[in-house]
Amino acid sequence: QVQLVESGGGLVQAGGSLRLSCAASGDTICISAMGWYRQAPGKERELVARITSTRSTNYADSVKGRFTISRDNAKNTLYLQMNSLKPEDTAVYYCNADGPRRYADCSPARNGYPSWGQGTQVTVSS
């Protein structure tokens, strides 16, 4: 019910910045929260940042103060602004949407949730 399309990944030097974008379509009104996850080679996938429908945010300790998650509801787009990038940030980054919200127009069925983007590679060189 929710489709996600990511963009913005690439190669950047340490100390540089990138902004990831995730365009959501479908039943966007029913999304309860969105987030960015990442997975480095040989490691498990981890939550990087999360934002709820009320714009409450949560960040992994490793990115606090450097990354900012935001959403533009008018454009149905999620962003991750990444500053002061470190080689340790190198990973495949995935956009995620969870739901549904408890809302009259949203079915309580969880079919299609969570939804995931295809992943985008972020590589930070030293």
Side-chain angles (χ1 to χ4, degrees):
Q1 292 183 313
V2 177
Q3 298 79 44
L4 306 173
V5 179
E6 298 159 303
S7 61
L11 175 66
V12 66
Q13 292 186 354
S17 299
L18 284 173
R19 188 173 77 160
L20 306 183
S21 299
C22 174
S25 60
D27 296 332
T28 58
I29 191 67
C30 299
I31 296 173
S32 60
M34 298 187 72
W36 291 96
Y37 292 71
R38 68 185 182 187
Q39 187 168 22
K43 297 183 179 180
E44 64 183 10
R45 188 174 300 185
E46 65 173 348
L47 175 67
V48 177
R50 179 177 177 269
I51 186 167
T52 70
S53 59
T54 58
R55 296 185 178 180
S56 297
T57 58
N58 186 52
Y59 296 90
D61 288 341
S62 60
V63 307
K64 286 182 179 177
R66 299 188 298 119
F67 291 9
T68 302
I69 189 171
S70 62
R71 62 191 298 176
D72 185 335
N73 289 341
K75 297 180 179 179
N76 292 318
T77 301
L78 179 75
Y79 301 98
L80 184 68
Q81 179 65 47
M82 304 186 293
N83 298 327
S84 302
L85 283 162
K86 304 175 181 179
E88 305 91 84
D89 297 318
T90 295
V92 177
Y93 284 70
Y94 298 91
C95 181
N96 165 271
D98 205 3
R101 294 171 57 200
R102 185 178 176 182
Y103 185 68
D105 291 338
C106 299
S107 170
R110 286 191 52 83
N111 291 348
Y113 295 101
S115 181
W116 294 91
Q118 76 284 355
T120 184
Q121 177 70 48
V122 172
T123 302
V124 184
S125 65
S126 59

